[in-house]
């Protein structure tokens, strides 16, 4: 490791020296000094994180051929950072049928995907068993695909609507075909911040309960942090310390994903409450500090090309990140929030981001394993691109009370609807 430059202020110099010696021993005061680093101190922090990344996971940048399937954007949760959610009667509202979801998964498989990532709004007419129907529909159509689905918010919604415990609901979901869950809906794991962003709809303790329970059941998850809104560095530090404690206990996180806040269409920004996303300095500091504070517990640090673009993502690969996420094929949540970086990257384009950072790259599975040769060849042949995007059909009229949206079976009593779980 490189020594800290002598011209830095004493606090930054001491913190950098401590991090170079052993990042696991950084005190909270030292970590906060580094979160505030700028100029030469920020450069030194990025170099230190980059060195640690090289020592931990090597130089190869990883990425996954995946498709996002946001199966409904109807949501009444009211999160103030979200520009994706629509009411049932809004012109842009939609809900995909089971057939449409399965068709999208099959289309992704044909162009080399190893994974589909499925999340949706909290739709008032979708019963808690609808998630199981979605899983079964995808696995029946594409048995070999890895299903990475349902945020902790969706898990809590499903459990509440079926009358099951979180553990029983996740057990039933696993039996229906769930492989891993996205660690989204984390935002910042501090209820002071969460109250402003989501009115306390999913307290930090509930998020922690879902992911730790999933890990105990053998369902691994990603972990995330959305930053650059009403948060401060002390919140980032607390969030990363919480993730490290969970990982020490369960070992279930596959990666940590930095999610810069996209402010453009976010209600909390339009109301004058939040700032307009993180600065370039903050992006580097958060990425580098994630590498240091999560070492060696979570070795994979992912940056988001959707939110940062090609140049921004390449910069994060030089500041401690080693993964570029996925091809996505289509992505609606960040796009509706105002991201201008598109909703798809081809395999060649993701490789180009790695090359811009001076690094080799390779395909990976959801859990960072080797991709089967047949999948890799299919992805290369199609370049991870869909031949066409299937249309999003508008939300149909509201069903009768107690009925599911068209294309879903009518909800049954939880005790009979959920195999292998007790109500």
């Amino acid at each position: 490791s490189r020594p800290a430059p002598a011209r830095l202020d004493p606090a930054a110099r001491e913190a950098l020296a401590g991090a170079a010696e052993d990042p696991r021993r950084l005190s909270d005061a030292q970590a906060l000094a580094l979160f505030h680093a700028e100029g030469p101190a920020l450069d030194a922090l990025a170099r230190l994180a980059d060195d640690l990344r090289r020592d931990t996971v090597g130089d190869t940048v990883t990425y996954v051929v995946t498709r996002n399937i946001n199966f409904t954007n109807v949501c009444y949760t009211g999160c103030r950072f979200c520009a994706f959610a629509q009411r049932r009667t809004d012109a842009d509202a939609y809900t995909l049928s089971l057939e449409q979801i399965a068709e999208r998964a099959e289309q992704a498989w044909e162009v080399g995907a190893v994974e589909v990532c499925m999340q949706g709004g909290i739709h008032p007419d979708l019963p808690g068993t609808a998630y199981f129907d979605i899983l079964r529909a995808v696995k029946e159509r594409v048995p070999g695909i890895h299903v990475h689905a349902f945020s902790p918010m969706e898990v809590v919604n499903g459990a509440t609507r079926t009358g099951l415990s979180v553990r029983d609901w996740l057990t039933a979901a696993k039996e229906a075909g769930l492989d891993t869950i996205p660690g989204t809906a984390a935002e910042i794991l501090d209820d002071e911040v969460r109250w402003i962003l989501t009115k306390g709809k999913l307290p930090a303790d509930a998020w922690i309960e879902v992911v730790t329970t999933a890990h105990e059941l053998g369902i691994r998850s990603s972990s995330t942090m959305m930053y650059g809104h009403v948060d401060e560095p002390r919140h980032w530090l607390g969030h990363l310390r919480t993730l490290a404690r969970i990982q020490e206990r369960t070992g279930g996180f596959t990666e940590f994903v930095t999610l810069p806040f996209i402010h453009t269409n976010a209600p909390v920004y339009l109301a004058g409450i939040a700032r307009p996303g993180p600065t370039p300095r903050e992006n580097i500091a958060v990425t580098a500090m994630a590498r240091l504070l999560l070492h060696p517990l979570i070795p994979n640090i992912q940056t988001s090309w959707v939110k940062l673009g090609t140049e921004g993502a390449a910069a994060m690969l030089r500041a401690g990140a080693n993964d570029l996420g996925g091809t996505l094929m289509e992505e609606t949540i960040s796009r509706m929030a105002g991201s201008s970086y598109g909703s798809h990257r081809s395999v060649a384009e993701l490789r180009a981001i790695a090359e811009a950072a001076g690094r080799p790259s390779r395909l990976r599975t959801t859990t960072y394993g080797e991709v089967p040769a047949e999948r890799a060849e299919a992805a290369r042949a199609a370049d991870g691109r869909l031949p066409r995007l299937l249309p999003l059909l508008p939300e149909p009229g509201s069903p009768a009370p107690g009925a599911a949206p068209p294309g879903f079976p009518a909800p049954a009593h939880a005790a009979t609807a959920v195999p292998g779980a007790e109500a």
Side-chain angles (χ1 to χ4, degrees):
S1 58
R2 300 180 178 89
R7 64 181 178 277
L8 302 182
D9 70 79
R13 188 166 61 246
E14 180 206 1
L16 283 165
E21 188 174 328
D22 186 353
R24 291 169 293 189
R25 295 173 61 188
L26 276 175
S27 68
D28 286 357
Q30 289 173 324
L32 286 171
L34 294 178
F35 271 123
H36 285 97
E38 53 189 332
L42 184 67
D43 294 341
L45 173 62
R47 285 195 301 270
L48 187 63
D50 197 41
D51 287 346
L52 185 60
R53 182 270 309 155
R54 185 179 298 111
D55 293 345
T56 305
V57 292
D59 278 331
T60 302
V61 174
T62 49
Y63 60 93
V64 64
V65 179
T66 182
R67 182 178 195 171
N68 270 14
I69 302 176
N70 302 125
F71 50 86
T72 183
N73 66 351
V74 175
C75 188
Y76 284 73
T77 303
C79 296
R80 302 181 72 189
F81 59 86
C82 180
F84 172 71
Q86 305 287 303
R87 299 295 188 251
R88 276 177 296 207
T89 54
D90 289 347
D92 291 332
Y94 73 87
T95 299
L96 302 178
S97 68
L98 293 176
E99 171 65 23
Q100 290 167 328
I101 294 167
E103 188 178 3
R104 279 161 169 76
E106 183 177 32
Q107 194 184 46
W109 181 263
E110 288 168 356
V111 296
V114 294
E115 168 198 290
V116 285
C117 177
M118 301 193 297
Q119 299 178 91
I122 305 302
H123 194 309
D125 301 322
L126 277 178
T129 53
Y131 299 104
F132 309 143
D133 297 329
I134 290 170
L135 292 166
R136 283 189 286 264
V138 168
K139 286 289 190 173
E140 284 169 11
R141 183 75 68 90
V142 194
I145 205 153
H146 181 108
V147 176
H148 182 63
F150 312 140
S151 72
M153 184 80 202
E154 291 171 280
V155 172
V156 168
N157 176 57
T160 301
R161 287 176 178 239
T162 53
L164 298 170
S165 68
V166 164
R167 181 174 296 273
D168 285 346
W169 191 92
L170 283 167
T171 298
K174 186 177 181 182
E175 289 176 6
L178 181 66
D179 295 302
T180 54
I181 63 172
T184 47
E187 282 75 70
I188 297 284
L189 293 172
D190 183 301
D191 286 333
E192 173 189 352
V193 173
R194 298 178 78 75
W195 183 256
I196 299 170
L197 293 180
T198 67
K199 305 174 194 170
K201 293 282 170 55
L202 183 73
D205 283 351
W207 188 94
I208 292 166
E209 180 198 358
V210 170
V211 297
T212 53
T213 302
H215 295 175
E216 288 164 4
L217 293 171
I219 302 168
R220 300 187 70 188
S221 76
S222 58
S223 60
T224 64
M225 182 174 81
M226 185 183 73
Y227 62 98
H229 35 82
V230 299
D231 49 335
E232 299 172 14
R234 65 187 172 89
H235 298 123
W236 307 340
L237 175 59
H239 184 100
L240 291 169
R241 294 280 200 219
T242 296
L243 295 181
R245 284 194 296 272
I246 294 170
Q247 186 72 340
E248 210 159 25
R249 191 160 76 249
T250 71
F253 290 131
T254 54
E255 69 217 319
F256 172 73
V257 187
T258 59
L259 298 174
F261 172 58
I262 301 295
H263 70 285
T264 316
N265 300 323
V268 71
Y269 171 74
L270 297 175
I273 297 167
R275 60 188 187 279
T279 63
R281 186 206 71 78
E282 289 174 323
N283 285 327
I284 291 171
V286 165
T287 301
M289 289 304 293
R291 171 60 66 188
L292 297 182
L293 291 171
L294 297 175
H295 178 76
L297 299 166
I298 305 178
N300 298 302
I301 308 297
Q302 182 184 123
T303 188
S304 174
W305 61 259
V306 176
K307 299 177 186 295
L308 293 173
T310 297
E311 290 181 12
M316 297 312 111
L317 292 177
R318 293 188 288 266
N322 67 296
D323 186 76
L324 283 172
T327 51
L328 301 189
M329 301 189 193
E330 62 181 320
E331 196 281 340
T332 50
I333 296 175
S334 291
R335 179 165 51 79
M336 291 180 78
S339 172
S340 58
Y341 294 117
S343 57
H344 177 269
R345 284 289 186 277
S346 69
V347 169
E349 287 167 331
L350 291 180
R351 291 174 64 183
I353 297 174
E355 287 167 10
R359 307 258 289 283
S361 58
R362 72 167 176 88
L363 294 166
R364 65 163 172 88
T365 65
T366 308
T367 53
Y368 287 77
E370 291 292 328
V371 171
E374 173 272 327
R375 291 286 80 207
E377 181 51 40
R380 271 193 295 271
D383 201 18
R385 287 185 185 277
L386 294 169
R388 62 192 172 91
L389 276 181
L390 298 168
L392 288 177
L393 300 181
E395 175 74 3
S398 295
F408 282 85
H413 188 273
T416 58
V418 186
E422 296 177 5

